[in-house]
């Protein structure tokens, strides 16, 4: 009798229409999947830090070759880098959807975390000024304010704002190496100009950075990391985004100097668009991209300019929303679905695709890895935007290796000339 009932039950299941089966256990949409990953990454950090318990509860990990710097930098790296990536998402208005409720919760935790990070009485006061590394991650905190100014900077109380400006200014004592680090100074100083006024920022640190970044541009969207070109992803991790943000801050602050910031911005944007074409072409039909250069544990931060162009709605004509969303989603699935990217405390582990501690550089800790959140910026576009609502499309390598037509690539040259105004 039991066997007969089992056969009948299986037969009934087989007769259920396919559409009904899908409704029972539907696959998440691309946006729902991205939100799941963003929540998984952010919740352990922000829930703990909002209560002043991140430094108490975070399960940390350091490179086997980690140097002798203060290990408390791990917390500043975790918070700053995470917030730089999810800030655009948290800037969206509240709504009653499940995503909206998560976003609202994360934003409230973030605002509390921002306050704790500069409150000397909080257990989660960050280690401002104890290491040269602080210049790097203070820049990512400033970048999070830039990317969600009205949602994350404006609501802070005046004391917290004053504390941030004070801490940012103290970092002028840190001498940046002759590399991409110049941009950390310029992002901080240009943010001070925008948020606190032109009398408060150090103009020289901004001007020198702009002139050096222009000297270091080597063509076709690539920047050298200092006077000598290095074949790595630092054009992704730092140059394109922080250069554009430095220039935009100076425009917003209405700074009047020798430089025509709008022309510099327009030229830098074209370079970022070219680089986004390169990055999209790096993504294989299987959703992988080539691993080379140092800091590979930053994972999907290698694709930051592509994500930035999508969020800013400035993708070049060669790239559609559908193909970029599909390509980035494929990489996300390939990287996060099967590998062990989180430890048992819910925090990222050192590695590129899973736990691979030997991939660490001498400066790597698991707070460093939250750079991967920089790929999440398109979540700052509402769910109704074409980026999310349009049909999925094959990206370039899918077309190329599938025998389909795909656009030819070509060299891009600068066509905007800048001269000092006097």
């Amino acid at each position: 009798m039991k066997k007969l009932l089992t056969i009948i039950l299986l037969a009934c299941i087989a007769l259920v229409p396919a559409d009904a089966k899908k409704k029972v256990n539907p696959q998440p949409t691309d946006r729902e999947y991205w939100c799941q990953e963003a929540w998984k990454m952010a919740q352990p950090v922000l829930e703990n830090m909002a209560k002043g318990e991140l430094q108490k509860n975070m399960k940390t990990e350091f490179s086997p070759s980690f140097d002798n710097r203060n290990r408390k930098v791990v917390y500043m790296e975790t918070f700053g880098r995470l917030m730089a990536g999810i800030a655009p998402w948290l800037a969206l208005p509240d709504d009653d959807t499940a995503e909206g409720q998560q976003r609202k919760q994360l934003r409230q935790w973030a605002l509390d975390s921002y306050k704790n990070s500069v409150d000397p009485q909080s257990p989660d006061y960050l280690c401002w000024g104890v290491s040269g590394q602080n210049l790097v991650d203070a820049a990512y905190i400033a970048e999070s304010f830039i990317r969600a100014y009205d949602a994350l900077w404006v609501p802070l109380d005046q004391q917290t704002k004053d504390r941030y400006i004070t801490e940012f200014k103290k970092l002028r004592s840190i001498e940046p190496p002759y590399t991409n680090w110049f941009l950390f100074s310029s992002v901080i100083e240009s943010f001070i100009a925008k948020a606190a006024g032109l009398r408060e920022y150090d103009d020289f640190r901004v001007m020198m950075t702009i002139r050096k970044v222009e000297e270091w541009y080597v063509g076709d969207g690539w920047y050298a990391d200092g006077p000598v070109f290095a074949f790595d992803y630092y054009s992704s991790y730092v140059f394109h985004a922080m250069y554009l943000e430095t220039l935009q801050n100076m425009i917003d602050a209405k700074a009047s100097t020798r430089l025509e910031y709008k022309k510099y911005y327009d030229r830098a944007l074209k370079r970022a668009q070219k680089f986004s074409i390169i990055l999209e072409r790096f993504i294989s039909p299987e959703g992988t991209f080539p691993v080379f250069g140092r800091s590979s544990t930053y994972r999907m931060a290698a694709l930051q300019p592509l994500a930035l162009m999508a969020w800013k709605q400035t993708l070049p004509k060669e790239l559609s929303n559908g193909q970029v969303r599909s390509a980035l989603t494929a990489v996300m699935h390939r990287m996060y679905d099967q590998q062990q990217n989180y430890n048992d405390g819910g925090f990222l582990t050192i590695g590129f695709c899973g736990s691979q501690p030997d991939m660490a550089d001498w400066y790597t800790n698991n707070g460093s890895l939250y750079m991967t959140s920089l790929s999440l910026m398109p979540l700052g576009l509402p769910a109704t935007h074409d980026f999310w609502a349009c049909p999925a499309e094959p990206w370039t390598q899918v077309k190329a290796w599938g025998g389909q037509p795909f656009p030819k690539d070509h060299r891009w040259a600068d066509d905007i000339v800048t001269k000092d105004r006097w």
Side-chain angles (χ1 to χ4, degrees), residues 73 75-84 114 117-118 126-146 153 163-172 174 181 183-192 242 245 249:
V73 297
Y75 307 112
M76 193 170 193
E77 292 189 43
T78 301
F79 179 60
R81 297 174 188 216
L82 170 69
M83 291 309 305
Y114 280 122
S117 72
V118 287
L126 297 177
C127 57
W128 295 89
V130 304
S131 168
Q133 180 66 33
N134 295 145
L135 179 64
V136 179
D137 297 298
Y140 285 105
I141 293 175
E143 194 173 44
S144 72
F145 290 141
I146 294 164
W153 175 256
R163 283 172 168 170
Y164 268 106
I165 298 300
T166 298
E167 297 287 9
F168 285 152
K169 287 181 177 180
K170 288 180 181 177
L171 297 172
R172 292 169 183 168
I174 298 172
W181 278 50
L183 281 155
F184 302 137
S185 292
S186 72
V187 162
I188 291 170
E189 295 297 337
S190 64
F191 173 72
I192 292 173
M242 289 196 170
E245 286 159 342
N249 284 340

Side-chain angles (χ1 to χ4, degrees), residues 41 44-46 48-49 52-62 71-79 82 124 126 343-350 365-370:
M41 196 177 298
V45 176
L46 297 183
N48 274 293
M49 194 166 181
E53 295 180 353
L54 181 65
Q55 297 186 36
K56 171 187 173 185
N57 294 332
M58 181 176 177
K59 185 173 181 180
T60 59
E61 183 181 359
F62 295 86
R71 292 197 169 205
K72 284 192 173 184
V73 297
V74 61
Y75 307 112
M76 193 170 193
E77 292 189 43
T78 301
F79 179 60
L82 170 69
D124 274 342
L126 297 177
N343 61 35
D344 55 14
F347 300 95
L348 284 169
T349 60
I350 292 178
N365 59 68
N366 66 328
S368 314
L369 319 180
Y370 285 84

Side-chain angles (χ1 to χ4, degrees), residues 31-102:
R31 185 179 180 90
E32 288 170 342
Y33 175 71
W34 283 48
C35 290
Q36 289 172 12
E37 292 303 313
W39 174 265
K40 182 177 182 179
M41 196 177 298
Q43 177 265 326
V45 176
L46 297 183
E47 184 175 12
N48 274 293
M49 194 166 181
K51 297 183 289 188
E53 295 180 353
L54 181 65
Q55 297 186 36
K56 171 187 173 185
N57 294 332
M58 181 176 177
K59 185 173 181 180
T60 59
E61 183 181 359
F62 295 86
S63 167
S65 59
F66 199 72
D67 63 8
N68 60 358
R69 74 186 68 184
N70 189 321
R71 292 197 169 205
K72 284 192 173 184
V73 297
V74 61
Y75 307 112
M76 193 170 193
E77 292 189 43
T78 301
F79 179 60
R81 297 174 188 216
L82 170 69
M83 291 309 305
I86 67 171
W89 185 38
L90 302 191
L92 288 177
D94 291 337
D95 58 55
D96 292 330
T97 64
E99 176 196 333
Q101 294 302 310
Q102 284 188 330

Side-chain angles (χ1 to χ4, degrees), residues 209-235:
T209 296
I210 292 171
R211 294 191 186 280
K212 285 301 172 184
V213 169
E214 290 298 329
E215 288 179 15
W216 296 340
Y217 183 64
V218 295
D220 252 358
W222 291 89
Y223 289 96
D225 192 6
V228 179
F229 180 75
F231 189 55
D232 57 30
Y233 281 111
Y234 272 80
S235 287

